[in-house]
Amino acid sequence: MSSNTFGTLFRYTSWGESHGPAIGCVIDGVPPRLALDEAYIQQFLDHRKPGQNRYMSQRQEKDQVKILSGVFEGKTTGTPISLMIENTDARTKDYSDIKDKYRPGHADFTYEQKYGIRDYRGGGRSSARETACRVAAGAVARLILGPVEIEGKVIQIGPHKEDCQHLWEDFLDQTRKNGSSAGAIAEVIAKGVPVGLGAPVVDKLDADIAKAMMGINAVKGIEIGSGFAAAALPGEVNADQIRIKDGLPHFLSNHAGGILGGISTGQDIVVRLAFKPTSSILHPLQTIDRDGHETEIVTKGRHDPCVGIRGVPVAEAMLAIVLADHWLRHKAQCHR
Amino acid sequence: MSSNTFGTLFRYTSWGESHGPAIGCVIDGVPPRLALDEAYIQQFLDHRKPGQNRYMSQRQEKDQVKILSGVFEGKTTGTPISLMIENTDARTKDYSDIKDKYRPGHADFTYEQKYGIRDYRGGGRSSARETACRVAAGAVARLILGPVEIEGKVIQIGPHKEDCQHLWEDFLDQTRKNGSSAGAIAEVIAKGVPVGLGAPVVDKLDADIAKAMMGINAVKGIEIGSGFAAAALPGEVNADQIRIKDGLPHFLSNHAGGILGGISTGQDIVVRLAFKPTSSILHPLQTIDRDGHETEIVTKGRHDPCVGIRGVPVAEAMLAIVLADHWLRHKAQCHR
Amino acid sequence: MSSNTFGTLFRYTSWGESHGPAIGCVIDGVPPRLALDEAYIQQFLDHRKPGQNRYMSQRQEKDQVKILSGVFEGKTTGTPISLMIENTDARTKDYSDIKDKYRPGHADFTYEQKYGIRDYRGGGRSSARETACRVAAGAVARLILGPVEIEGKVIQIGPHKEDCQHLWEDFLDQTRKNGSSAGAIAEVIAKGVPVGLGAPVVDKLDADIAKAMMGINAVKGIEIGSGFAAAALPGEVNADQIRIKDGLPHFLSNHAGGILGGISTGQDIVVRLAFKPTSSILHPLQTIDRDGHETEIVTKGRHDPCVGIRGVPVAEAMLAIVLADHWLRHKAQCHR
Amino acid sequence: MSSNTFGTLFRYTSWGESHGPAIGCVIDGVPPRLALDEAYIQQFLDHRKPGQNRYMSQRQEKDQVKILSGVFEGKTTGTPISLMIENTDARTKDYSDIKDKYRPGHADFTYEQKYGIRDYRGGGRSSARETACRVAAGAVARLILGPVEIEGKVIQIGPHKEDCQHLWEDFLDQTRKNGSSAGAIAEVIAKGVPVGLGAPVVDKLDADIAKAMMGINAVKGIEIGSGFAAAALPGEVNADQIRIKDGLPHFLSNHAGGILGGISTGQDIVVRLAFKPTSSILHPLQTIDRDGHETEIVTKGRHDPCVGIRGVPVAEAMLAIVLADHWLRHKAQCHR
C-alpha cells in the first residue's frame, strides 16, 4: 500500500510518530549533482517550527534535520535521500489522559477502529508533527524547480478575511482565552511555472495538487483559481481570454488559477486551502472511551489555537513536491 | 507515467479521444464472481448521457458500452475488464474551425504547448466525453461496495443556491439565450461506508477523493464536510462530539464529512464540488491562434449550458471508485 | 492491483482472453509526435503470428491490430494509445472438453483455485495469445529507443544446442509425431543501448528485464550475460576488464551482459530465457477434474510443438518495453 | 521513480550508502497487531552478518537494527515501520584508492556515467551492505506468512556442485590464497505456500520473484523449478501430473517449481540463483580512471571470497517479501 508515499518520479515516503524516537522521510528520484546540505533544509524547518510566537504551540522541538543518505560532498548523488528529525521534546506524560478517550475532531477513533491499536502519544502517526517531513521534502523539491517561486499566506482567520487583518490578533487572543480554537484559509501561489506541466484525465496537475493539499492535517477544502466562486460566474467572464504581449501569449485574467485541462498554462498557479479549527481545545467536549462509555474530554497541552497558520509552509512544500514530480515527468515524456 | 490510471488495487485505466473510433477503459483488480453484464453498466451511462433535456448537449451519442474481457458467463473472472464505447456521432466538420484557434477556458492551448500536437476534434482527449468511461468504471466499483449508497445532486446553479431552485430553469434559459453558460455546485453523499477506510498521511481517504473529484472536467473546488465554512467555526462547534446510541458510537454532528485523520468514521461521506461554467459558448472571446496571431472565437456546436449538471453522475462514479479501492486496501491490511 | 500493467513511465496495460471478442492493451506515457500507424505495428505481429510454418500452431488468427486512440494524423499525441486485436478464429467447440479438467502444466488448476471461476476457452487469460499485445506494445517501445537494435534467436531446441541446429527439424518432426512437445532456450541481444539506463537496488535494469522475461508464458529461467556459467568462473576471468579504444571506454569481455550494478554499461545487453515444453500435448496425462475426481486428459487442437520458437519476438518486445521505460526514467532524472 | 521501493501492498523502500552514517528502510502496508521487536529482526541480521567465518568478509559491523516507527508496545500499528542500521565500522581510508578508478565487475563505472557523481566509499549505494535492510524487511514479511517456511542453501561453489561439497572448503581456501574469488548457486525453497498467490500476465508470482532475486547483488541468473533443464525435457515428462491423495490434489512431480500461470500451486516454490564471483579481488585487473586513462587496480579490503554464501539469507528475505506482498494482494481481491 503506497499509503505513505507521494509522487511518481520525485517520490516522498514518510514515516514516524509524534512521540517515537524520530520522524523522517525518504526522497527518491532526485536528480544528481544538486547542491544540498542540512543547513539549507533547516531554514525551511525553522520557518515552520512551533514556539515562534504566541499563536503557535509552545512545544520546543528543535526539529534538527539530519541527512542520512543520498548526499555526498555537498551534492545529491541520485540515490535516495533519507532525512531524520529526532523527537527530543516528547513529554509522554502530557498525553497519558488521552490514552483511552477519543478526542473529537482527532483521528483517535478512526485509527483505533481501523487498526485495533494506536500510538496514542501526541496523536502518534496522525500528529501534525509529521508535516515537518513534508517541509523538508519540499525544500529538496524546490531544488528541481529552478526559477519557480512558491509563496503562501493566511488570507482568513476564523470569520475574518484578509481585509480585516487588524482584528486577527485580538480574535486569536480571545479564542485562546475561551479555550477555543480558530480555523483559517490560506492561499499559496507558484510563480514562474512553465507551461506544460501536468497530464490529462487522471494525473492532472490540479488533481495532484488537490490530493497533496487535502492530505495536510485539518484541511477540509481546496480551490484552484476562482474555485467555488467560479460557479457563480457567467462563462464569458470566467474564460481567461488570450492576447499577445511582448510576443508571448498573455491571459487577460486568471480564473483558471494557472491550469487548463490539468496542464499548467504558464500563469500563476493559485491554490486556496480551508483549515478547520484546531481540534485540541480546553473546552470540554462530549466523547466516548475505548470501552464504549460516554465521557468528557479536555485537551490540555501545547497546541496552536489556529493550525492553519503553521499549515502555510506545509502547503508551500506540498505544492513544490507536486510541481517537482510533474517537472520530471514532463521532461521524461515531452523534452526532445 | 500513470497519467491515465487511477487507483492502487481497484485500478481504472482510461483511453480515447472524443472523435476517434472509440473511448474505453480497463478495470483491473476486480474481485471474481461478481454478477456483471452490459445492461447493468448501461443504466449508469444512460443516466449520464447527453440529449436528455434542453439543458444538456444535443449530441446524440448512444454511448453503448461493450464488455470486451474479464467477464465470463455473466460473472467477473478477476482478470482485467475492458470496456469500450464506440464514437458513433462524431461529426468532425462541426469542429474544424477550432483547429488552429485556442478556445479560452479549454485545454487547447495547454495540450498544444505540452505535446506540440493535439487532436483538436471535439477537444480530443480533454473532452468531457471521457467521463463516460468513469461512469462505467464507477458502476463496476459499486459492485464491491455492497450496502453503500452513493447519491449526488446539484445544489447551486450559477449564483442560485438550492433554496432558489425555482429560478434555475429560467436562469438557464436566459443563459442559453445570451450565448453564455453557467457554473454549478454539486454535493455527493455516500451512506453506509464502514468505519476504517483510508490511510494515514498520503493516501488519506479525503485526499484520494479530492484527487478524483478535481480530475473531473471543469471542477475548480472541493470540500469535505463543512469545508471552507469550517474555517469560520470555533473549535468546539466544529468538533463532532460523540455519544453512544443503540450501543454504538454516534456523532452529534458531521462537520468532518465522515472522515477523520484520512479514515472514514462510519458517518455519511459528504463531498461538494464547484464546476466552472461551460467554456464552449457562443459569446465571442478574444484568443490567439497557433501562429501567435490575435483573433476571436465563437464556439458553436452542441454544448451543455451548465456542465455541472452532467457532472453529478461522474462525481458519484469517482466516489465509488475511490471507496472501492480503499475497501480492497483495507481488507488486505486489516482484515483478519 | 497492477497485475496487468508493466512499467513506470512507458506503461503497458494488457487485457483480454483467448476466446473473448478481442484482446488489447493501453500504452501510456509515449512521447508525442512519433510517427505511428497500424501497418508499422502489424509487421511485428506478422513476425509472431501462428500458422507460418509447420512448427507453429495452425490457428489462423489474422491478428489485425487496430489503433483506437493516442494517434492523430499518423503521429502519437502523448495520450494513451489503445490497441485492439479482434479474436476472429475462436472456435469454442475445440476447447469444450477441457471445461472441467485441469490440463497439467497449464494454469487451469491455479486460476480455478484462485478465482473460483475461469474462462476455460483456450486458456482464457492465461493463453499465450495475450503475447500478441506485448509484441504490439514492443513495437511502440522501439520508437523511443532510436538507434537500439534488439534481436533474438533460438539457441537450443529440446536437448540440441545451436551447434546441432541441423538436428532441430527432425527432432521437432519426431516430437510432433510422438504427441509430445519440446522446450527451448532463446537469446535476445540489445545493441546500442546507451550507458546509464537502470537504477540502483530495486528497479535495476536486469531486475526489470528478469521480471519482464519471467512473465512470458512457459519461461522458467533467465540469465544475463554469463548467467549460471558465471558461478563457475574465477573472479579475475568473470570481471570484464576495461581499456580505452578510440578514446572511449572499451570492455575486454562481456560476462556482465551489459549491466553492472543494475545500470547499463553501453555493451550489448545479453539475455537468455529457458522455455519449458508446450503443455498442450496429445500424450495422455493423469489429472483431476473440478469435482476432485481422478481422470486423464489429451489436449487436442492447434498447438505449437515448441512454444519457445514463437516466444522469441515476445522476448524482443519485452526487452524493448523495459528499455523504453528506463530510457524515459533516465531522461527524467539525469538529463540536464 | 520507484527505483528503491519494492512491492505493491507490502512495500519496502530502501536507503543508505555503505559508508554514510546509516542504512535503513521503510516498510509500509504491514498489518497491525503483529508482535515485533528489534530482537526478532536482529536474529535474521545476525544470520547474515559478516565476520562469522573465514569465508566471509572480516568487516566487523554490528548491524544493530533500530525500530524508529510503526511499532507500539511490541506490536505493529499498521503505520510505516522505519528500520535503521548505523554504519559503525566504516573505515573510509580503506577505500580511498578506488576514488578515481573503476573496479571491473563493480558499479563504479555505471554510477559515474549515469549520475556524474558517486559515493565511492565502499561502493556507496551499490554495496552489498544494503542487503542487510532486505534481510530486516524479510523478517517483517515472515510475520505475514504464518505457516510458510522459507529456507535456502548453497548448492554449488565455483565449479563444485553439492555432491562435491567436501571440496568446497579447500577450494575456497585456495581461491583466497590466489587473490581470486568464486561464484555460487543457491536454492531457496518456500514450503506451505497456499494455492492462489500471484496474478496473471504481468505481476506473475514467478515474475516478481525473478525481479526480487535478480536485484540481489551479483546475481546473474534465476530459475524456477526445473528452470533451464526444462528446455531439454519432453512435454509429458515436464508436465506435473495430478492425482488425489488424502482427498486433496497431489502433484506427482514439481518441474513447475510450485507456480503455474504465474499463480502458486500449493507445492514447494523452488528458486535457484546464480551468483557471479566476488568482484573485489587482489588479482590485479586492467581498468581506466575517471579521466579516461588506462590503469590497473587491486581491490584490497575485507571481502568475502564468495558472496553467494552471504546471499542466501538475502534471497530468503526477498522471497518472503514477494510472498507477503502477494499474500495481501490475494486477500484483497479474492477473499470473501
Side-chain angles (χ1 to χ4, degrees):
Chain A
M1 211 162 299
S2 60
S3 308
N4 294 277
T5 298
F6 190 92
T8 296
L9 291 186
F10 182 92
R11 284 168 72 85
Y12 147 79
T13 297
S14 157
W15 57 267
E17 275 81 34
S18 175
H19 285 62
I23 58 172
C25 65
V26 182
I27 309 167
D28 205 355
V30 180
R33 302 182 310 276
L34 300 173
L36 179 64
D37 60 18
E38 291 167 353
Y40 165 77
I41 300 174
Q42 194 62 45
Q43 62 183 330
F44 289 91
L45 286 172
D46 290 348
H47 187 51
R48 170 202 169 276
K49 94 176 158 198
Q52 292 191 118
N53 63 39
R54 60 176 160 165
Y55 305 125
M56 292 189 172
S57 154
Q58 295 308 304
R59 179 169 167 162
Q60 292 294 339
E61 292 288 353
K62 278 186 210 161
D63 279 0
Q64 194 72 41
V65 70
K66 285 184 192 170
I67 299 176
L68 297 179
S69 70
V71 176
F72 184 59
E73 298 180 344
K75 289 194 178 150
T76 59
T77 60
T79 63
I81 298 171
S82 175
L83 303 178
M84 182 173 71
I85 300 169
E86 291 181 66
N87 290 327
T88 54
D89 185 40
R91 304 185 204 162
T92 296
K93 59 183 167 182
D94 280 355
Y95 295 96
S96 56
D97 54 336
I98 59 164
K99 179 177 171 184
D100 296 314
K101 293 180 184 177
Y102 302 133
R103 294 166 298 165
H106 275 288
D108 302 345
F109 174 74
T110 51
Y111 270 61
E112 184 79 35
Q113 294 290 320
K114 182 179 184 70
Y115 297 118
I117 185 175
R118 72 188 160 104
D119 181 347
Y120 52 80
R121 301 168 303 166
R125 182 69 183 145
S126 70
S127 165
R129 177 148 180 67
E130 186 276 339
T131 59
C133 295
R134 305 193 211 187
V135 171
V140 177
R142 284 171 193 256
L143 298 177
I144 294 169
L145 297 175
V148 176
E149 285 173 37
I150 298 171
E151 212 173 314
K153 60 176 182 178
V154 172
I155 60 168
Q156 182 179 326
I157 292 184
H160 304 295
K161 292 192 194 295
E162 222 174 349
D163 49 8
C164 297
Q165 202 171 338
H166 58 283
L167 299 176
W168 288 358
E169 189 165 335
D170 283 351
F171 173 74
L172 283 171
D173 272 342
Q174 196 55 47
T175 295
R176 176 187 289 281
K177 278 177 199 156
N178 296 349
S180 181
S181 63
I185 298 178
E187 185 176 81
V188 186
I189 295 179
K191 291 178 188 296
V193 176
V195 62
L197 303 195
V201 177
V202 172
D203 283 0
K204 285 178 170 162
L205 186 59
D206 37 358
D208 279 346
I209 291 171
K211 173 164 183 174
M213 297 300 169
M214 195 64 95
I216 298 173
N217 305 45
V219 170
K220 301 303 286 184
I222 310 287
E223 291 183 324
I224 306 284
S226 292
F228 278 84
L233 298 176
E236 65 275 18
V237 172
N238 186 68
D240 302 316
Q241 300 185 65
I242 321 176
R243 298 281 81 185
I244 295 291
K245 191 176 168 185
D246 304 332
L248 292 171
H250 174 74
F251 290 84
L252 299 180
S253 54
N254 189 15
H255 293 286
I259 302 172
L260 283 174
I263 297 170
S264 63
T265 62
Q267 289 185 283
D268 288 357
I269 290 179
V270 180
V271 186
R272 274 181 301 284
L273 308 79
F275 292 87
K276 69 178 183 183
T278 312
S279 297
S280 298
I281 52 177
L282 286 169
H283 193 102
L285 295 171
Q286 293 181 301
T287 191
I288 58 172
D289 64 19
R290 295 181 62 189
D291 298 324
H293 298 125
E294 298 193 338
T295 180
E296 232 181 37
I297 194 163
V298 165
T299 311
K300 294 170 189 163
R302 303 150 297 172
H303 302 291
D304 291 333
C306 177
V307 286
I309 298 171
R310 283 184 58 202
V312 172
V314 182
E316 292 172 342
M318 290 310 296
L319 188 52
I321 288 169
V322 173
L323 290 173
D325 190 31
H326 277 282
W327 186 287
L328 296 180
R329 291 169 67 168
H330 181 62
K331 192 174 145 197
Q333 188 182 19
C334 296
H335 282 199
R336 289 172 196 246
Chain B
M1 209 163 298
S2 59
S3 306
N4 295 277
T5 298
F6 189 92
T8 295
L9 291 186
F10 182 92
R11 287 167 71 85
Y12 147 78
T13 298
S14 157
W15 57 267
E17 275 83 33
S18 175
H19 286 62
I23 58 172
C25 65
V26 183
I27 309 168
D28 205 355
V30 179
R33 303 182 308 277
L34 301 173
L36 180 64
D37 60 16
E38 291 167 353
Y40 165 77
I41 300 174
Q42 194 62 45
Q43 63 182 329
F44 289 90
L45 286 172
D46 290 348
H47 187 51
R48 170 201 169 276
K49 95 177 160 197
Q52 293 190 117
N53 63 40
R54 59 176 160 164
Y55 305 124
M56 292 189 172
S57 154
Q58 295 308 303
R59 180 167 166 164
Q60 294 294 338
E61 292 288 354
K62 278 186 210 163
D63 279 359
Q64 194 72 39
V65 70
K66 286 184 191 169
I67 299 176
L68 298 179
S69 70
V71 176
F72 183 60
E73 297 180 345
K75 288 194 180 152
T76 60
T77 60
T79 62
I81 298 171
S82 177
L83 303 178
M84 182 172 72
I85 301 167
E86 290 180 67
N87 291 326
T88 53
D89 186 39
R91 304 184 204 161
T92 296
K93 59 185 167 180
D94 281 356
Y95 294 96
S96 57
D97 54 336
I98 59 165
K99 179 178 172 185
D100 296 313
K101 293 180 184 178
Y102 303 133
R103 293 167 299 165
H106 275 288
D108 302 345
F109 174 74
T110 51
Y111 270 61
E112 184 80 35
Q113 294 290 320
K114 181 178 184 72
Y115 298 119
I117 184 175
R118 73 189 161 104
D119 181 347
Y120 51 80
R121 301 168 303 165
R125 182 70 183 144
S126 70
S127 166
R129 177 148 179 68
E130 186 276 339
T131 59
C133 296
R134 305 194 211 188
V135 170
V140 178
R142 284 171 192 257
L143 298 177
I144 295 170
L145 296 175
V148 176
E149 285 173 37
I150 298 171
E151 212 174 313
K153 60 175 179 177
V154 172
I155 60 169
Q156 183 179 325
I157 292 184
H160 305 295
K161 293 192 194 295
E162 221 172 348
D163 48 8
C164 298
Q165 202 170 337
H166 58 283
L167 299 176
W168 289 357
E169 188 166 335
D170 282 351
F171 173 74
L172 284 172
D173 272 343
Q174 197 55 47
T175 295
R176 175 187 289 281
K177 279 178 197 154
N178 294 349
S180 181
S181 62
I185 298 178
E187 185 175 80
V188 185
I189 295 179
K191 291 177 189 296
V193 176
V195 62
L197 302 194
V201 175
V202 172
D203 283 1
K204 285 177 169 161
L205 187 60
D206 38 357
D208 279 347
I209 290 171
K211 174 165 180 171
M213 297 299 169
M214 195 64 94
I216 298 173
N217 305 44
V219 170
K220 301 302 285 185
I222 310 288
E223 289 184 324
I224 305 285
S226 292
F228 276 85
L233 297 177
E236 65 276 15
V237 172
N238 186 68
D240 302 316
Q241 301 185 65
I242 321 176
R243 299 281 81 185
I244 295 292
K245 192 176 168 184
D246 304 333
L248 292 171
H250 174 74
F251 290 85
L252 300 180
S253 54
N254 190 14
H255 293 287
I259 302 172
L260 283 175
I263 297 170
S264 62
T265 63
Q267 290 184 281
D268 289 356
I269 290 180
V270 181
V271 186
R272 274 182 302 283
L273 308 79
F275 291 87
K276 68 178 184 184
T278 311
S279 297
S280 298
I281 52 177
L282 286 169
H283 193 103
L285 294 170
Q286 293 180 302
T287 191
I288 59 173
D289 64 19
R290 293 181 64 191
D291 299 324
H293 298 124
E294 299 191 338
T295 180
E296 233 181 36
I297 193 163
V298 165
T299 311
K300 294 170 189 163
R302 306 149 295 172
H303 302 290
D304 291 333
C306 177
V307 285
I309 298 171
R310 283 184 58 205
V312 172
V314 183
E316 291 171 342
M318 290 311 294
L319 187 52
I321 289 170
V322 173
L323 290 173
D325 190 32
H326 277 283
W327 186 288
L328 297 179
R329 291 169 67 168
H330 181 61
K331 193 174 145 198
Q333 189 182 18
C334 296
H335 282 198
R336 291 172 194 245
Chain C
M1 208 162 302
S2 60
S3 306
N4 295 277
T5 298
F6 191 92
T8 295
L9 292 185
F10 182 93
R11 285 168 72 85
Y12 147 79
T13 297
S14 156
W15 57 267
E17 276 82 32
S18 174
H19 285 61
I23 57 171
C25 65
V26 183
I27 309 167
D28 205 355
V30 179
R33 301 183 309 276
L34 300 173
L36 180 64
D37 60 17
E38 291 167 353
Y40 164 78
I41 300 174
Q42 195 62 45
Q43 63 183 331
F44 288 91
L45 286 172
D46 290 348
H47 187 51
R48 169 201 168 277
K49 92 175 162 197
Q52 294 190 116
N53 61 42
R54 60 175 159 166
Y55 305 125
M56 292 189 173
S57 155
Q58 295 308 303
R59 179 168 166 162
Q60 294 294 338
E61 291 289 353
K62 279 186 210 164
D63 279 358
Q64 195 71 40
V65 71
K66 285 185 191 169
I67 298 176
L68 298 179
S69 70
V71 176
F72 184 60
E73 297 180 345
K75 289 193 179 151
T76 60
T77 61
T79 62
I81 298 171
S82 176
L83 303 178
M84 183 172 71
I85 301 168
E86 290 180 68
N87 291 326
T88 54
D89 186 40
R91 305 185 204 162
T92 296
K93 59 183 168 181
D94 281 355
Y95 295 97
S96 57
D97 55 336
I98 59 164
K99 180 179 172 186
D100 296 314
K101 293 180 183 178
Y102 303 132
R103 294 166 298 165
H106 275 287
D108 303 343
F109 173 74
T110 52
Y111 270 62
E112 184 79 35
Q113 294 289 320
K114 181 178 185 72
Y115 297 118
I117 185 175
R118 73 190 159 101
D119 181 347
Y120 52 80
R121 302 168 301 166
R125 181 70 182 145
S126 70
S127 165
R129 176 145 180 70
E130 186 276 339
T131 59
C133 296
R134 306 193 209 188
V135 170
V140 178
R142 285 171 193 256
L143 297 177
I144 295 169
L145 296 174
V148 176
E149 285 173 37
I150 298 171
E151 213 174 314
K153 60 176 180 176
V154 172
I155 60 169
Q156 182 178 326
I157 291 185
H160 305 294
K161 293 191 194 295
E162 221 174 349
D163 49 9
C164 298
Q165 201 170 338
H166 59 282
L167 300 176
W168 289 358
E169 189 165 335
D170 283 351
F171 173 74
L172 283 172
D173 272 342
Q174 196 56 48
T175 295
R176 175 187 290 280
K177 278 178 199 155
N178 295 349
S180 180
S181 62
I185 298 178
E187 185 175 80
V188 186
I189 296 179
K191 291 177 189 294
V193 176
V195 62
L197 303 194
V201 175
V202 172
D203 283 359
K204 286 178 169 162
L205 186 59
D206 37 359
D208 279 347
I209 291 171
K211 173 165 182 172
M213 297 299 169
M214 195 65 95
I216 298 173
N217 306 44
V219 170
K220 300 303 284 184
I222 310 287
E223 291 184 324
I224 306 284
S226 293
F228 277 85
L233 298 176
E236 65 275 16
V237 173
N238 185 68
D240 302 316
Q241 301 185 64
I242 321 175
R243 299 282 80 186
I244 294 291
K245 191 174 167 184
D246 304 332
L248 292 170
H250 174 74
F251 290 84
L252 300 179
S253 54
N254 189 15
H255 293 287
I259 302 172
L260 283 173
I263 297 170
S264 63
T265 63
Q267 290 184 283
D268 289 355
I269 290 180
V270 181
V271 186
R272 274 182 301 284
L273 307 81
F275 292 86
K276 68 179 184 182
T278 311
S279 298
S280 299
I281 52 178
L282 286 169
H283 193 104
L285 295 171
Q286 293 180 302
T287 191
I288 59 173
D289 64 19
R290 293 182 64 190
D291 299 323
H293 299 125
E294 298 191 338
T295 180
E296 234 181 35
I297 193 163
V298 164
T299 311
K300 294 170 189 163
R302 305 148 297 172
H303 302 291
D304 291 333
C306 177
V307 286
I309 297 170
R310 283 185 57 204
V312 171
V314 183
E316 291 171 344
M318 290 310 295
L319 187 52
I321 288 170
V322 173
L323 291 173
D325 190 31
H326 276 283
W327 187 287
L328 297 179
R329 291 169 67 168
H330 181 61
K331 193 173 144 199
Q333 188 182 20
C334 296
H335 282 198
R336 291 174 195 243
Chain D
M1 211 163 299
S2 59
S3 308
N4 294 276
T5 298
F6 190 92
T8 295
L9 291 185
F10 182 92
R11 286 168 71 85
Y12 148 78
T13 297
S14 157
W15 57 268
E17 275 83 32
S18 174
H19 286 62
I23 59 172
C25 65
V26 182
I27 308 167
D28 205 355
V30 179
R33 302 182 309 275
L34 300 173
L36 180 64
D37 61 16
E38 291 167 353
Y40 165 77
I41 300 174
Q42 193 62 45
Q43 62 184 331
F44 289 91
L45 286 172
D46 290 350
H47 187 52
R48 171 202 168 275
K49 94 177 159 196
Q52 292 191 118
N53 62 40
R54 60 176 158 165
Y55 305 126
M56 292 190 172
S57 154
Q58 295 308 302
R59 179 168 166 163
Q60 293 294 338
E61 291 290 352
K62 278 186 210 162
D63 278 359
Q64 195 72 39
V65 70
K66 285 185 191 169
I67 298 176
L68 298 179
S69 70
V71 176
F72 184 59
E73 297 180 343
K75 288 193 179 151
T76 60
T77 61
T79 62
I81 298 171
S82 176
L83 303 178
M84 182 173 70
I85 301 168
E86 290 181 66
N87 291 326
T88 54
D89 185 39
R91 305 183 203 162
T92 295
K93 60 184 168 184
D94 282 353
Y95 293 97
S96 57
D97 56 334
I98 59 164
K99 180 178 171 185
D100 296 314
K101 294 180 183 177
Y102 303 133
R103 293 167 298 164
H106 276 287
D108 303 344
F109 173 74
T110 52
Y111 270 60
E112 184 80 34
Q113 295 289 319
K114 181 179 185 67
Y115 298 118
I117 184 175
R118 73 190 160 104
D119 181 347
Y120 51 80
R121 300 168 303 166
R125 181 72 183 143
S126 70
S127 165
R129 177 148 180 68
E130 186 277 338
T131 60
C133 295
R134 306 194 210 187
V135 170
V140 178
R142 285 171 192 257
L143 298 177
I144 295 170
L145 296 175
V148 176
E149 285 174 38
I150 298 171
E151 213 174 313
K153 61 176 181 176
V154 172
I155 60 169
Q156 182 178 325
I157 292 184
H160 305 295
K161 293 190 194 294
E162 223 174 349
D163 50 8
C164 299
Q165 202 171 336
H166 59 282
L167 299 175
W168 288 357
E169 188 165 335
D170 283 352
F171 173 74
L172 283 172
D173 272 343
Q174 196 56 47
T175 295
R176 177 186 288 281
K177 278 179 198 153
N178 295 349
S180 181
S181 62
I185 297 178
E187 185 175 81
V188 186
I189 295 179
K191 290 177 189 295
V193 176
V195 62
L197 304 194
V201 175
V202 172
D203 284 0
K204 285 178 169 163
L205 187 60
D206 38 357
D208 279 346
I209 290 171
K211 173 165 181 172
M213 297 299 169
M214 195 63 95
I216 298 173
N217 306 44
V219 169
K220 302 302 285 183
I222 311 286
E223 290 184 325
I224 306 284
S226 292
F228 277 85
L233 298 176
E236 66 275 16
V237 172
N238 186 67
D240 302 316
Q241 301 185 65
I242 321 177
R243 299 282 80 186
I244 295 291
K245 191 176 167 184
D246 303 333
L248 292 171
H250 174 75
F251 290 85
L252 300 179
S253 54
N254 190 15
H255 293 286
I259 302 172
L260 283 174
I263 297 170
S264 62
T265 64
Q267 290 185 283
D268 289 356
I269 291 180
V270 180
V271 186
R272 275 182 302 282
L273 308 80
F275 292 87
K276 69 180 184 182
T278 312
S279 297
S280 297
I281 52 177
L282 286 169
H283 194 103
L285 294 171
Q286 293 180 303
T287 190
I288 59 172
D289 64 20
R290 294 181 62 191
D291 299 324
H293 298 126
E294 299 191 336
T295 180
E296 234 181 36
I297 193 163
V298 164
T299 310
K300 295 170 189 164
R302 304 149 297 171
H303 302 290
D304 290 333
C306 176
V307 285
I309 298 171
R310 283 185 58 204
V312 172
V314 182
E316 291 171 344
M318 291 310 295
L319 187 51
I321 288 170
V322 173
L323 290 173
D325 190 32
H326 276 283
W327 188 287
L328 297 179
R329 291 170 66 169
H330 181 61
K331 193 174 144 197
Q333 189 183 18
C334 296
H335 283 200
R336 290 171 195 244

